[in-house]
Amino acid sequence: MSEIQKTAQPPGNEPPAIENEFVWAIRPFLKRCSIIFSCWTTPSLEVDTFTRDDGVSARAFALFLIAALTFAVRGDNGDNGGANPTAVFTAFAGGIAIILSAVLNILSRTYKIRERLVISAYASTIIVMFFFVIFQEILTLTLPFLLYNSFFWYGDVIIPAVLGGIATFALLLMKSAWWDEKPIGRRGFRHGSILTVGSTIIVIIIALLSSRIFHRLVELVSKLKLHGD
Amino acid sequence: MAKRTILLGGAALILAGISVAVAQPDNSCTTYDGQMSGSALYVLMACPDNAKAQCAAPVNAGTIIQKGVNYRFLYKTRATEIQNSLVVVQLKAMAAQPVPEPVAIKLTRQQLNFACYTKDNKQDPIPADADDVTAAPDVGYSIYDRFHRYGYAPRKELRVLLSFHTSYFNGSACVSTLEKVRRAQFLFADRSNVAGITVGLLTRFGIDTPVAVAAEINHYDHLQVVLANYKKQPQASGCISFLGRSDGPSLEIDVSDLEEKAHASNDFDRFHPEVFTINTK
């Protein structure tokens, strides 16, 4: 009886069950994922249905995914002879985040692009990156001569990137038509193609950029940001 | 006019002479064929009874070569049904003391006359003189290992590795040196641990952890891969020839015949090279 009294808590103050802790912990992650997923559609004409804070956190999460995928796209594990692999890794991630964030912010301010379109661009880039890695890996191991000899020696980047862009575009149209149940039409087709072509170009740049130039760019952008503040 | 013709003719003759000197084919296999038996490695050395002549001496526990001197090695395969094959030769020169980081791997590929998807089925050697190790491209050890285990590398090294690897006609079909079992023969350690596309992708995405670099590789201060080839009649032996040297206490030569490995019946035969160790003085 006394044991029960000692451990009993007033109603409403019970420690949450482990399952609830888990749900509580992953809820923000799921929310960000769902915002990114809902924004990735064509044509994207709706007004933003989420708060500004949610939009910012979804963008930050998308940016984190892009930074992580950068290493996969570049076939780089951060231990390619550098003195401090973790530092190289972090510098790359930071660089990608700064450059992409700055470019998209400038574009959205200049052309008054809605938040959901910016998130949609991030989502497209993530998916093209994902497909790029898959196609490059498969083609390297199955058709290496094709990758090596084509497109004026840039086939190893251009072929998987273009295939990734086409796969992303097809997926975007299917998602918009069947999941979002939207009439795609000419406008949807145009929006979708601009989105995927832009993302494909970003992925090609990420894959082609030499490490030296990339570091220079990161330094330059960091200085610009500091002066801007 | 006549003077100009003579000058041009002379220049052409000199150029032709230089090109013959550079691209002189090695015919040691034909020359020493009678002295060799199958599945053995030979080194060309001064004959015991005549120091001015060269003989093909079988490599065994008692073989000693001089430090810092280039030797020509000949490897004669067993008599098999194989018609065309590529042979991966790994030259590992032991360092006097272990090196702090694994050294880069020099890549050389000999002229190939039964390549697929090329003009005339020919593929030029890498470098232009396949015996010139100083001109050979190199790739960092961990990148080389990861490429052959998981199939990816940073772009600069990917270009080098894609140019080094090839597709060839083995007598019945066109096969690639990047097919799983053949790719495994290029690894310096843990050859049976080669991933397929799915595990390769998981590792590339950072979901799966790549295999750690084998510690024993730090014992070598020169690593080189020679991709040699032979063409023969069924039931006959093939022969390859390559140069090797060591500046340290010994030289290890690992030989893997890609077609023999691809058709091996058990994992031991499939993933273990023939190993020859030669001491130096």
Side-chain angles (χ1 to χ4, degrees):
Chain A
M1 174 66 191
S2 59
E3 265 313 293
I4 292 166
Q5 278 174 340
K6 260 185 206 171
T7 52
Q9 297 277 331
N13 279 351
E14 296 91 353
I18 290 171
E19 306 88 67
N20 290 344
E21 286 277 14
F22 187 70
V23 170
W24 182 81
I26 64 163
R27 191 172 287 159
F29 165 77
L30 292 175
K31 192 172 181 182
R32 283 165 199 162
C33 286
S34 83
I35 290 171
I36 294 170
F37 186 71
S38 67
C39 289
W40 191 60
T41 186
T42 189
S44 189
L45 302 168
E46 302 87 350
V47 289
D48 295 342
T49 50
F50 43 83
T51 64
R52 186 174 155 71
D53 283 353
D54 281 345
V56 168
S57 70
R59 274 169 59 179
F61 178 63
L63 219 47
F64 167 77
L65 286 179
I66 289 171
L69 281 169
T70 299
F71 304 104
V73 165
R74 294 175 66 86
D76 199 335
N77 282 76
D79 60 349
N80 301 326
N84 185 348
T86 318
V88 174
F89 224 77
T90 315
F92 266 114
I96 278 289
I98 290 168
I99 293 167
L100 210 63
S101 169
V103 169
L104 285 172
N105 273 343
I106 292 165
L107 280 177
S108 65
R109 273 184 210 160
T110 313
Y111 298 102
K112 295 196 167 39
I113 297 169
R114 284 190 310 278
E115 184 85 356
R116 62 183 303 116
L117 272 177
V118 177
I119 295 172
S120 185
Y122 281 125
S124 280
T125 308
I126 290 168
I127 296 164
V128 176
M129 285 173 118
F130 186 75
F131 279 126
F132 173 90
V133 172
I134 292 173
F135 284 122
Q136 199 191 43
E137 182 86 9
I138 292 170
L139 291 173
T140 298
L141 296 180
T142 54
L143 299 168
F145 53 90
L146 176 74
L147 280 195
Y148 182 68
N149 293 318
S150 51
F151 289 97
F152 304 100
W153 313 103
Y154 287 98
D156 57 307
V157 168
I158 290 175
I159 293 175
V162 170
L163 288 176
I166 292 168
T168 306
F169 183 57
L171 204 64
L172 175 65
L173 292 186
M174 284 193 282
K175 191 250 176 187
S176 307
W178 293 331
W179 185 276
D180 301 328
E181 294 175 347
K182 278 183 175 179
I184 295 168
R186 195 177 282 177
R187 179 182 265 178
F189 207 80
R190 198 175 65 232
H191 281 195
S193 52
I194 291 169
L195 208 60
T196 41
V197 167
S199 301
T200 307
I201 291 168
I202 289 173
V203 174
I204 289 174
I205 292 169
I206 288 172
L208 283 179
L209 219 55
S210 81
S211 304
R212 199 167 48 86
I213 295 171
F214 195 86
H215 281 291
R216 286 252 175 93
L217 267 176
V218 172
E219 275 174 21
L220 189 76
V221 174
S222 308
K223 278 179 193 166
L224 282 175
K225 275 211 116 181
L226 281 176
H227 287 307
D229 292 341
Chain B
M1 183 67 188
K3 260 186 186 175
R4 190 182 286 173
T5 314
I6 291 165
L7 273 172
L8 283 171
L13 273 174
I14 291 166
L15 282 173
I18 291 169
S19 67
V20 166
V22 169
Q24 211 166 40
D26 170 60
N27 53 8
S28 313
C29 275
T30 324
T31 312
Y32 298 96
D33 189 51
Q35 296 178 26
M36 299 188 290
S37 55
S39 194
L41 183 70
Y42 293 83
V43 57
L44 295 189
M45 293 176 134
C47 296
D49 51 346
N50 179 5
K52 283 182 183 170
Q54 273 200 323
C55 289
V59 169
N60 51 39
T63 308
I64 293 174
I65 57 171
Q66 285 196 329
K67 273 184 197 172
V69 176
N70 278 330
Y71 284 88
R72 182 156 293 281
F73 291 91
L74 306 175
Y75 175 77
K76 193 170 181 179
T77 67
R78 289 185 294 119
T80 58
E81 286 297 318
I82 297 166
Q83 286 183 44
N84 306 328
S85 185
L86 264 57
V87 182
V88 179
V89 180
Q90 294 178 328
L91 297 160
K92 303 189 269 186
M94 184 75 82
Q97 283 184 335
V99 290
E101 291 284 327
V103 294
I105 299 163
K106 292 269 187 186
L107 305 172
T108 58
R109 191 189 64 212
Q110 296 177 353
Q111 161 106 32
L112 184 60
N113 295 324
F114 47 89
C116 292
Y117 319 115
T118 60
K119 210 190 274 181
D120 308 330
N121 296 331
K122 283 188 177 155
Q123 208 162 30
D124 291 336
I126 295 175
D129 174 9
D131 284 339
D132 183 9
V133 187
T134 51
D138 58 17
V139 171
Y141 181 81
S142 60
I143 293 173
Y144 176 91
D145 187 85
R146 204 156 289 168
F147 177 78
H148 291 99
R149 224 178 273 287
Y150 302 109
Y152 67 90
R155 184 162 192 264
K156 192 176 145 210
E157 288 80 4
L158 182 69
R159 300 287 314 159
V160 173
L161 290 160
L162 286 178
S163 73
F164 173 68
H165 280 276
T166 186
S167 294
Y168 61 97
F169 182 68
N170 66 2
S172 54
C174 274
V175 291
S176 164
T177 50
L178 286 175
E179 284 168 21
K180 204 173 170 184
V181 178
R182 291 180 179 86
R183 184 159 43 102
Q185 311 310 322
F186 290 85
L187 286 170
F188 279 80
D190 198 11
R191 288 185 175 187
S192 54
N193 201 353
V194 173
I197 288 172
T198 313
V199 176
L201 278 171
L202 289 177
T203 312
R204 189 167 173 176
F205 280 124
I207 297 164
D208 207 351
T209 316
V211 170
V213 169
E216 65 260 27
I217 208 72
N218 290 31
H219 293 133
Y220 304 101
D221 63 1
H222 175 82
L223 298 171
Q224 188 193 343
V225 176
V226 180
L227 190 53
N229 61 81
Y230 65 82
K231 190 179 173 81
K232 67 174 184 66
Q233 293 297 316
Q235 297 293 350
S237 289
C239 177
I240 58 157
S241 153
F242 55 92
L243 287 182
R245 65 180 270 170
S246 174
D247 295 321
S250 69
L251 174 67
E252 190 183 307
I253 301 175
D254 296 359
V255 183
S256 312
D257 185 321
L258 291 189
E259 285 310 300
E260 216 173 287
K261 296 290 177 194
H263 298 106
S265 54
N266 61 66
D267 273 3
F268 185 85
D269 289 342
R270 199 171 294 142
F271 297 118
H272 286 82
E274 274 191 83
V275 180
F276 303 92
T277 307
I278 305 150
N279 290 319
T280 61
K281 64 175 180 186

